[in-house]
């Protein structure tokens, strides 16, 4: 590895760094005024499906906030779409699926072939973005975990409990595993193509892992994320973000992933202990804390940095940035990290 390796990739590989890199989950949307202008002009999937728009949105936070990595503008729900499920993005509501997956015939009807063709617009956006990004800023590609994708496909919308998705799994585990296998298969194909198109690292969002018990997590989520990680880890660094699943930190630290996302319910100390310091950790400021007064935000950010330490660490929030977060506070958070050294 030469010295030109970007900071973000150095940290993911566990190489020594002068300061931790920083990026922010959901940095490419939600709070930047320029993004809101585009949002009012083009509907959500038009923004995802037009490589010029996806590239422009991906670059916005890099130019305006100065983060150390970019994440391609897209959504985890392009996978159900590619399988033949119609997903709408409703204003002030979120994802909506009129005909969710509930029966065996629904699962059998899902098509996992031709991802190259069906999600061609994502791969074109990745290629275009790579051309425009400065060389020292890596591009992150992503997908939802099979469990999190199942949650939306079966529930048909967002939910606090994903009760319909959970009872689907508990009433007919065989069918649930058939669906999870199908999602896993297409996700691996999709991420391989994203890597071929040029992403430098991949993050798996298991945003709804935390609705499962520890035992059920090991049945319905962990094995499928492990399968994706096994298929891809030799190609590019993989970051796994299992929200609300501190119980899985130890298992994830042993499967050869490069990074592990930590939410704010778990302390840095506990996460380091559970992972045996085997893996780069990423996180974990509560996104709501970006609404705190600036002095307090600086103090909390420094505390987070001191607790995780400089090495094997990527500074981030513990979940996606919230709509209406003041842009100035995002800059304060990022600048505090960039000027940090804990010696
Ligand atoms: O930095 C980025 O924003 C990159 C692109 C990105 C989006 N979604 C764009 C988006 C990423 C990485 C995602 C991931 C995603 N999508 C997750 C996992 C991360 C997480 O927050 O837990 C999940 C669960 C989804 C599903 C999804 N997409 C929901 C629940 C919603 C509605 C609520 C909301 O705003 O998050 C979306 C819509 C969506 N995806 C928007 C954006 C910018 C907002 C809608 C719009 O811009 O019109």
């Amino acid at each position: 590895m030469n010295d030109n390796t970007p900071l973000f990739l150095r940290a993911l590989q566990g190489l020594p760094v002068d300061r931790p890199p920083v990026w922010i989950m959901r940095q490419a949307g939600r709070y930047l005024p320029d993004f809101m202008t585009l949002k009012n002009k083009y509907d959500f999937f038009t923004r995802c499906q037009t490589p010029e728009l996806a590239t422009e949105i991906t670059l916005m936070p890099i130019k305006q906030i100065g983060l150390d990595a970019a994440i391609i503008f897209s959504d985890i729900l392009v996978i159900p779409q590619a399988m033949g499920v119609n997903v709408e993005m409703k204003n002030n509501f979120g994802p909506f699926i009129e005909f969710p997956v509930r029966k065996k015939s629904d699962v059998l009807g899902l098509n996992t072939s031709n991802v190259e063709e069906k999600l061609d617009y994502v791969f074109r956006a990745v290629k275009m973005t790579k051309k425009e990004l400065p060389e020292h800023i890596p591009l992150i590609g992503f997908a939802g975990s099979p469990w999190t994708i199942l949650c939306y496909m079966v529930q048909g919308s967002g939910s606090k409990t994903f009760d319909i998705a959970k009872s689907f799994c508990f009433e007919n585990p065989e069918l649930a595993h058939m669906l999870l296998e199908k999602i896993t298969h297409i996700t691996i194909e999709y991420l391989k193509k994203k890597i071929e198109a040029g992403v430098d690292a991949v993050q798996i969002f298991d945003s709804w892992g935390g609705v499962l018990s520890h035992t059920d997590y090991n049945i319905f989520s962990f094995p499928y994320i492990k399968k994706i990680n096994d298929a891809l880890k030799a190609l590019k660094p993989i970051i796994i973000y299992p929200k609300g699943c501190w119980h899985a930190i130890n298992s994830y630290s042993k499967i050869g992933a490069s990074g592990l996302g930590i939410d704010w319910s778990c302390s840095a100390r506990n996460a380091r202990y559970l992972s045996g310091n085997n893996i780069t950790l990423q996180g974990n400021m509560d996104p709501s804390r970006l609404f705190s007064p600036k002095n307090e935000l600086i103090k909390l950010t420094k505390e987070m940095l001191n607790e995780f330490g400089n090495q094997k660490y990527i500074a981030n929030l513990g979940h996606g940035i919230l709509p209406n977060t003041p842009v100035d506070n995002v800059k304060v958070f990022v600048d505090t990290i960039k000027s940090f050294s804990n010696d």
Side-chain angles (χ1 to χ4, degrees), residues 289 291-298 329:
R289 277 297 187 181
F291 292 87
S292 289
K294 288 193 178 57
N295 284 345
E296 196 167 348
L297 176 59
I298 292 171
N329 284 14

Side-chain angles (χ1 to χ4, degrees), residues 91-230:
N91 271 342
N92 304 320
F93 180 79
F96 177 72
I97 297 173
E98 190 181 356
F99 302 108
V101 173
R102 300 276 166 86
K103 306 185 298 293
K104 188 166 183 180
S105 55
D106 298 335
V107 176
L108 291 174
L110 295 168
N111 182 344
T112 59
S113 60
N114 288 338
V115 72
E116 182 158 18
E117 206 178 295
K118 287 187 276 194
L119 296 179
D120 178 58
Y121 62 86
V122 180
F123 312 128
R124 284 195 290 132
V126 167
K127 285 181 195 153
M128 192 177 280
T129 302
K130 276 300 284 181
K131 273 194 203 134
E132 306 242 337
L133 264 181
E135 232 165 78
H136 65 286
I137 307 292
L139 181 61
I140 303 167
F142 67 91
S145 73
W147 164 253
T148 290
I149 296 296
L150 177 148
C151 280
Y152 286 103
M153 286 176 87
V154 175
Q155 190 83 21
S157 67
S159 163
K160 283 201 177 96
T161 57
F162 284 98
D163 53 340
I164 303 174
K166 286 173 77 174
S167 43
F168 169 86
C169 293
F170 301 157
E171 279 164 15
N172 195 343
E174 231 173 86
L175 188 57
H177 286 296
M178 196 192 288
L179 175 54
L180 289 163
E181 282 293 351
K182 280 191 145 185
I183 301 168
T184 304
H185 173 79
I186 190 172
T187 301
I188 291 172
E189 294 305 301
Y190 172 58
L191 289 174
K192 277 188 180 162
K193 295 274 176 268
K194 251 178 167 169
I195 290 170
E196 270 173 36
V199 299
D200 301 286
V202 164
Q203 176 154 319
I204 314 286
F205 284 93
D206 197 6
S207 305
W208 296 109
V211 301
L212 290 170
S213 73
H214 160 67
T215 315
D216 289 326
Y217 191 82
N218 286 324
I219 298 171
F220 295 105
S221 193
F222 178 79
Y224 296 98
I225 293 183
K226 180 174 183 302
K227 206 164 171 178
I228 295 171
N229 184 67
D230 286 347

Side-chain angles (χ1 to χ4, degrees), residues 262-284:
I262 306 295
D263 65 71
W264 61 95
S265 69
C266 182
S267 68
R269 190 188 155 105
N270 199 23
R272 287 286 183 210
Y273 169 73
L274 290 169
S275 62
N277 206 19
N278 263 340
I279 186 167
T280 295
L281 300 180
Q282 174 179 282
N284 72 343

Side-chain angles (χ1 to χ4, degrees), residues 24-30 35 39 44 47 71-77 89 91 94-95 142 148 152 205 207-208 241 319-320:
I24 294 179
M25 284 190 275
R26 309 296 300 271
Q27 67 191 21
R30 289 188 156 181
F35 173 80
K39 182 174 160 132
F44 180 66
R47 275 175 275 143
I71 180 161
I72 189 73
F73 182 77
S74 183
D75 199 80
I76 62 170
L77 298 173
M89 199 57 76
N91 271 342
F142 67 91
T148 290
Y152 286 103
F205 284 93
S207 305
W208 296 109
Y241 167 69
H319 195 188

Side-chain angles (χ1 to χ4, degrees), residues 287-306:
S288 304
R289 277 297 187 181
L290 294 195
F291 292 87
S292 289
K294 288 193 178 57
N295 284 345
E296 196 167 348
L297 176 59
I298 292 171
K299 180 175 148 270
L300 290 168
T301 306
K302 286 183 175 166
E303 274 170 25
M304 173 184 84
L305 293 160
N306 278 317

